[in-house]
Each structure stands twice: as C-alpha cells, then as structure tokens.
Amino acid sequence: MARGEGAEQYAAGLLSVKPINTEVKTAKPKDQRNRLSVWNKLCYAIGGAPYQITGSALGFFLQLYLLDVAQLDPFHASIILFVGRAWDAVTDPTVGFFVSRSRWTSIGRMMPWILCSTPFAVLTYFLIWYVPPFEEGKIVWYLIFYCLFQSMQTCFHVPYSALTMFITTDQKERDSATAYRMMVEVLGTVLGTAIQGQIVGGASNCPDPDELESSNSTIPTGYSLEETKQAYLIASGVICIIYVCCAAVLFLGVKEKKDNGRKKTLLTFRQGICLVMSHGPYVKLVIGFLFTSLAFMLLEGNFALFITYSLGHRKHFQNILLVIMLSGTLTIPWWQWFLTRFGKKKAVYFGISWAVPFMLLIVCIKSHLIISYLVSVAAGVSVAAAFLLPWSMLPDVVDDFKVRNPDIHGHEALFYSFYVFFIKFASGMSLGVSTLSLKFAGYVTGSCVQPEAVSLTLKVLVSPVPVALIAVGLLILRTYPIDEERRQGNQKLLQEMLDSESETSVLGSEV
C-alpha cells in the first residue's frame, strides 16, 4: 500500500511571475495556467487505483490461493512468488528506460503506455486466478501469467507514477494531486481487499475450528473446493472491470503537458543506472524504505495465513484485513496534516514506528477476536503512513537532482522505476523465503489444520522479523539529507529556472 506529498506550506513562498510583455492583456497568470481543477486531480488519482486494487488482492490472497485452492506444493508456490516478483522488479527499470526515451505523441508521452498495456493486464490478471484442468503444468501456467501480468502492470504503473511530473509544473498542485492520488490508492486497497475477501471468504472450503474439533477428518466433506475456485474467478472478473474503468477515466480526465521545449538527454541503459544511483539522497531514501517496505510486505503476504492458522479466525480473516485497510484510509488526511505541520522526516519516524508495538502485541496475547480487531484498527494507522511517505518524498529527490544537474532532462521515470525495482525484488525475496519457510515447518497443502510449527513460523514472519527490518530502515533514513529547509530551497531554485526558461522562450518567439 505504501504508497502523497503533503507539505504545502512552502507553496505561498514561490516567486511571483512578472509579465514579460505588458501589452498582452489576456494572458493568464502562470499560477492559473498551472493550476489543476478538482476534476483533473480526481481523474489523475483514479488512475492509481488499479495498481493498488490488484496489488492488495495479490498481496493478501495469492499465497493462500496457491497453497489451499490451486493446491501447489509450498516449494513450487515459493518459486512462483519469487520468480514473479523478481521478474516484475527487472521489468521496472527496463520499462522506465524505454519510457524515458519515448517520443511525444498527440496524447502525450506516458499515456500511450497506459492505454496499450491495459487490455493485456486485465486478461493476464484474470488467468492468474483460474485453476487449469491439469496437474503437471500448473507451476508453468502460474509462472507465465503471473510474469506477464506483472510486465503489463509495470507498463501501466511506471508511466503513471512519472506522470506526476508532467501534469503541472506547480509543486503545490503536484502535492495536492498526489494527496488525491494517495487517498484513492488507499481506497483502492480497501476495495481490492473487500472484493477479494468478501467474495472469497464466503466460499471457504473449511469449517470453523469448533467444527473441526468434532470431526475426525482434517479435510471435511460438504465444503466444495469448486465453489471456492469459482469465487476467486468472480472476484477477479469484478476487479478487471474496475481496472478498465479507471484507465478510461485517467485518459479522459488528465492532459499531459509537454516539457517546455526542453530536449531530453539520451543515455544508454547503463548510463541511466549510473545516473540514478550516483545521487546520494536517492540512494539513502531507497535503501531506507527498502527495509521498511520489506517489513510491511512480509506482514501483508503472511497475514491471511496468520489469522487463519495461528489466531484461528478463519471465518473472519477477510473482515480483519478490511478493517486494517479502512483504518489506513481514514487516517490519510491526518497524515497529510502531520506532513504539513511537522515535515516529512518526522512523519517517517513517527508513522512507521507506530506499528511496532501492535506487531508485538498480536503475537504475545492469547488469540481473541475482539483484541484482533482492535489491534487491526491501530495497525492500519501505520499502514497509511507506509503508503503515503515513500511516494511523498520521491518527487523531492527528483527535484534535488534537477537542481544539481540542470542540463539533464527527461529522466524522471528512471527514478520511479528503479525505486519500484528494489521494492519489488525485496517483495519477491520475502514472499519466496516465507513460503519456503512454511514448507520446512511442515505446511500441509489442502488441509484445514496445520502443525504447531507452522503457527510458530507465521508468528515469526509477522512480528519479530518485520520489527527488526523497521528498526534498520529508520536508522538509515536518519541520514537522509533533504529536510524542509533544503526542500523549500530547491523549489525556489526550480521556479527561478522555469521562469528563466519561459522568459527566454518568449523573447525568442518575439525575435
């Protein structure tokens, strides 16, 4: 989910623009030309929903689906999860490189990627949730369609992420649009969790623990696995329809703006990597959030299994996940205010660390449904911060790079794509290792009851390991050099550069 910018107090300090030619009476002031309407911001924000809807459905339910519905061996499931996410990670910088070299078209430079990838992303996503009628090639089936979907999703999301830099040159408007985006994306995670959870949760092929205690069989009769398979297909179909609708709204409601006549600096792929990774603030930001994001990904990937087998709330796991997402959504405005009032670095320390006591509490207390719900509400507050803060701070790093490299243009997509590369590769590692850990613990595919070693393994994966990763990540983020003073200074310098370019352009046209 992790994934607005909220500090808007610096916007009032932006330099005013003096008119170049006083005879031009009808020209709109620059701040009005760069201003986005509420409709534009909403349409832009809605474009981010597909990534979060599909991401939350896959993140919370794919591991459970592969093990208990497709009934793959945990080792094979770990291969699918790792290879799929690793492939997804590799495609991010690759797509970012090609996007940065794309030509401007009548509908923009980013929008063609978004439009062309959508139908293929929808088709491959649907086929991920289909159980093929054969056993031998199941692992190949899921590997192919999982990797294909991740590739198509990357072709959608990398250009969409970079689109922030092209909808307006006014940083205040970017901040506001990103805040809209974050709210809609968190709502997207709620929607994805709700659709997948409520449709699938009502079709569980296992009874409550009390029923199991009175049964001599670990796999009770009377619960149809076919009904569960059908429920996953229905849920995926609903999500596919929403995906297409969101892409259409983005295309119809957002106009991409050209780069003020700037010429892109064409670089090779290797030069692009060196360019991005040589910027110190970017490296520190990425590594810091790599650890914190890995912590929340471990929690996300294993939480459904943890609720089901460690806490014993099989019939409530979808509702507990939904409570976490709803709590995160409702606290986004509060985090927006916190960013404005105290700055982004303080928000990182407070927001990410907020989850730690609740991660410890959920595994230390005896399983109790009401306490599980209360902990979920509190944990959702930190999940909101984990969504908001990385995407809030990435534009600051890009702007810092522009100030220090004024002659290099057109490579914003590389910064976003390499960030996503590291996060997704870490996600693949976490899902692969955690699923493999379940195999070593003795996870029984298709069984409604798991050995005690599986319960203990799940507790470790959702509490001690994430807490340690959060601690490391926060220590690294302490060295992140872009504070509020430097960030506001960069904004003033960039505004001066834009004003200078505009004046040069106008004078050149007059000549």
Side-chain angles (χ1 to χ4, degrees):
M1 170 180 158
R3 305 136 232 357
E5 306 164 293
E8 297 184 355
Q9 74 261 23
Y10 62 84
L14 293 178
L15 298 177
S16 59
V17 181
K18 297 181 180 180
I20 302 300
N21 188 350
T22 56
E23 294 180 1
V24 181
K25 302 291 185 180
T26 59
K28 293 182 179 180
K30 180 171 291 189
D31 60 342
Q32 291 186 14
R33 295 201 304 268
N34 290 328
R35 188 167 296 167
L36 299 172
S37 67
V38 173
W39 170 250
N40 294 143
K41 295 174 185 176
L42 281 174
C43 291
Y44 167 71
I46 289 172
Y51 182 77
Q52 298 300 338
I53 293 173
T54 56
S56 63
L58 290 168
F60 281 124
F61 295 96
L62 184 58
Q63 185 185 44
L64 185 66
Y65 166 79
L66 293 175
L67 293 174
D68 289 351
V69 181
Q71 297 193 348
L72 295 177
D73 181 81
F75 176 71
H76 293 157
S78 68
I79 292 176
I80 294 170
L81 292 170
F82 171 70
V83 173
R85 296 298 284 181
W87 172 260
D88 186 22
V90 171
T91 59
D92 276 290
T94 305
V95 170
F97 173 73
F98 286 114
V99 168
S100 68
R101 297 174 69 91
S102 299
R103 295 179 180 273
W104 179 266
T105 69
S106 59
I107 59 173
R109 188 150 63 95
M110 305 296 164
M111 204 62 74
W113 287 84
I114 294 171
L115 291 181
C116 293
S117 64
T118 295
F120 299 103
V122 167
L123 176 63
T124 52
Y125 179 79
F126 182 81
L127 292 175
I128 290 174
W129 302 103
Y130 173 72
V131 180
F134 47 80
E135 292 296 329
E136 292 298 323
K138 270 188 180 180
I139 184 173
V140 178
W141 173 278
Y142 289 114
L143 266 176
I144 290 175
F145 287 110
Y146 190 35
C147 290
L148 284 175
F149 169 73
Q150 297 291 11
S151 299
M152 295 301 102
Q153 180 78 309
T154 298
C155 291
F156 183 103
H157 192 251
V158 168
Y160 173 76
S161 299
L163 192 62
T164 310
M165 310 300 292
F166 298 99
I167 55 176
T168 179
T169 57
D170 188 333
Q171 184 62 34
K172 178 182 178 181
E173 291 299 298
R174 285 183 193 168
D175 286 348
S176 179
T178 305
Y180 276 78
R181 171 191 167 187
M182 291 301 106
M183 178 63 74
V184 172
E185 287 194 352
V186 177
L187 285 172
T189 64
V190 174
L191 190 59
T193 305
I195 293 172
Q196 194 84 3
Q198 297 304 312
I199 294 177
V200 171
S204 173
N205 62 308
C206 283
D208 289 325
D210 293 338
E211 297 177 45
L212 276 175
E213 291 178 2
S214 60
S215 173
N216 295 325
S217 174
T218 58
I219 307 179
T221 59
Y223 291 87
S224 172
L225 181 61
E226 291 301 319
E227 291 180 6
T228 305
K229 293 178 181 178
Q230 190 69 24
Y232 273 98
L233 282 178
I234 293 172
S236 65
V238 173
I239 289 176
C240 286
I241 293 172
I242 295 173
Y243 195 117
V244 173
C245 292
C246 290
V249 170
L250 175 66
F251 172 69
L252 295 174
V254 176
K255 182 176 176 58
E256 189 176 341
K257 296 186 178 181
K258 207 167 184 179
D259 289 346
N260 297 324
R262 291 180 176 180
K263 292 184 178 180
K264 293 184 293 180
T265 308
L266 296 179
L267 302 174
T268 65
F269 186 72
R270 181 179 178 182
Q271 288 173 329
I273 296 176
C274 295
L275 177 75
V276 170
M277 300 311 297
S278 63
H279 191 55
Y282 177 78
V283 173
K284 292 176 181 178
L285 184 74
V286 168
I287 295 177
F289 278 123
L290 177 65
F291 282 93
T292 59
S293 298
L294 184 55
F296 284 97
M297 288 172 185
L298 270 175
L299 185 65
E300 178 188 57
N302 295 282
F303 204 60
L305 288 171
F306 171 74
I307 295 171
T308 301
Y309 295 115
S310 295
L311 298 184
H313 304 319
R314 180 182 300 277
K315 297 298 184 182
H316 297 272
F317 82 90
Q318 71 273 17
N319 296 325
I320 293 175
L321 296 177
L322 186 58
V323 166
I324 293 176
M325 297 297 102
L326 283 172
S327 174
T329 301
L330 295 175
T331 53
I332 283 286
W334 185 84
W335 284 116
Q336 193 71 17
W337 169 84
F338 194 97
L339 286 171
T340 305
R341 180 68 177 82
F342 299 103
K344 297 180 181 181
K345 287 190 71 171
K346 289 183 180 178
V348 168
Y349 303 141
F350 183 75
I352 301 297
S353 61
W354 174 267
V356 171
F358 301 104
M359 287 181 179
L360 297 174
L361 181 63
I362 195 69
V363 298
C364 291
I365 61 173
K366 186 178 179 180
S367 176
H368 192 283
L369 184 59
I370 295 178
I371 294 178
S372 297
Y373 274 109
L374 292 175
V375 170
S376 299
V377 171
V381 177
S382 194
V383 169
F387 267 84
L388 185 69
L389 295 171
W391 295 109
S392 167
M393 298 170 78
L394 269 174
D396 299 337
V397 174
V398 176
D399 287 341
D400 188 76
F401 177 84
K402 287 182 176 180
V403 168
R404 281 150 183 77
N405 300 273
D407 297 327
I408 300 178
H409 307 296
H411 299 286
E412 292 84 356
L414 288 176
F415 285 91
Y416 289 88
S417 60
F418 275 106
Y419 169 74
V420 178
F421 164 77
F422 289 111
I423 298 302
K424 287 183 177 179
F425 189 82
S427 172
M429 287 289 294
S430 69
L431 286 172
V433 171
S434 61
T435 308
L436 199 58
S437 300
L438 294 177
K439 177 177 176 61
F440 293 143
Y443 188 94
V444 182
T445 299
S447 176
C448 294
V449 178
Q450 298 297 334
E452 184 62 30
V454 172
S455 176
L456 178 61
T457 301
L458 289 168
K459 289 180 179 180
V460 172
L461 291 173
V462 302
S463 184
V465 175
V467 169
L469 291 169
I470 286 174
V472 174
L474 292 179
L475 287 174
I476 294 172
L477 287 171
R478 282 183 60 87
T479 65
Y480 176 69
I482 302 178
D483 54 16
E484 288 300 298
E485 181 180 356
R486 177 167 168 178
R487 187 178 66 82
Q488 294 179 29
N490 286 341
Q491 292 306 315
K492 291 181 179 180
L493 290 172
L494 285 173
Q495 188 65 39
E496 291 173 357
M497 291 165 61
L498 287 171
D499 293 345
S500 176
E501 290 176 0
S502 298
E503 291 175 4
T504 303
S505 178
V506 171
L507 292 174
S509 63
E510 290 178 352
V511 173

